[in-house]
Amino acid sequence: MSANVESPSSSMDMVKWLFAIALLAAAVVGNTVYGEESALIRAIGVVAAVAIALAVAATTEKGRNFITFAKEARIEVRKVVWPTRQETTHTTFIVMIATVIMALILWGLDGILFRVVGFLTGLEI
């Protein structure tokens, strides 16, 4: 038998998420309603509303998990050995040459099959 026990933080998290979503919706509606105002003022208002909504969302359990994940991902990206410019250029040329070769092979195969089917069906196009 499984009992779902809701912790107090999860109910508060729901309130925080609803507040963050309402704040984002208010930013969209406010930007539309105050369309005649300066674009700079509207942009500042929208950026402020989004920043506050993100700050509120970051205080939830899922928000903290996401921040932890993002930090770990950033650490992993730092460990990646990126190719040099010369390696990237050589790899690009190899891929381009391979693509051209495959295109020529498929073009030739298509021409051969077109003639074979035309010969078998008696239709010459």
Side-chain angles (χ1 to χ4, degrees):
M1 183 154 121
S2 159
N4 289 335
V5 178
E6 189 170 312
S7 66
S9 65
S10 66
S11 63
M12 192 60 178
D13 281 357
M14 182 60 76
V15 171
K16 290 177 183 178
W17 280 113
L18 290 175
F19 178 71
I21 292 170
L23 197 56
L24 291 174
V28 171
V29 170
N31 190 36
T32 305
V33 169
Y34 296 108
E36 68 278 352
E37 294 295 324
S38 168
L40 177 64
I41 293 172
R42 288 184 295 137
I44 290 172
V46 168
V47 168
V50 169
I52 293 169
L54 287 175
V56 170
T59 63
T60 64
E61 184 65 31
K62 288 185 180 185
R64 285 188 292 273
N65 288 342
F66 176 76
I67 291 171
T68 302
F69 172 76
K71 286 179 181 177
E72 291 173 0
R74 187 173 179 199
I75 291 169
E76 290 300 320
V77 166
R78 287 181 181 167
K79 294 179 184 178
V80 173
V81 178
W82 299 101
T84 64
R85 183 178 183 95
Q86 183 181 14
E87 290 172 336
T88 304
T89 305
H90 286 202
T91 305
T92 302
F93 284 134
I94 290 170
V95 168
M96 292 171 78
I97 290 169
T99 303
V100 168
I101 290 171
M102 284 305 300
L104 291 172
I105 290 171
L106 290 173
W107 175 67
L109 185 61
D110 180 54
I112 291 169
L113 289 174
F114 183 77
R115 286 178 179 74
V116 168
V117 169
F119 175 73
L120 293 175
T121 60
L123 297 174
E124 291 190 31
I125 299 175

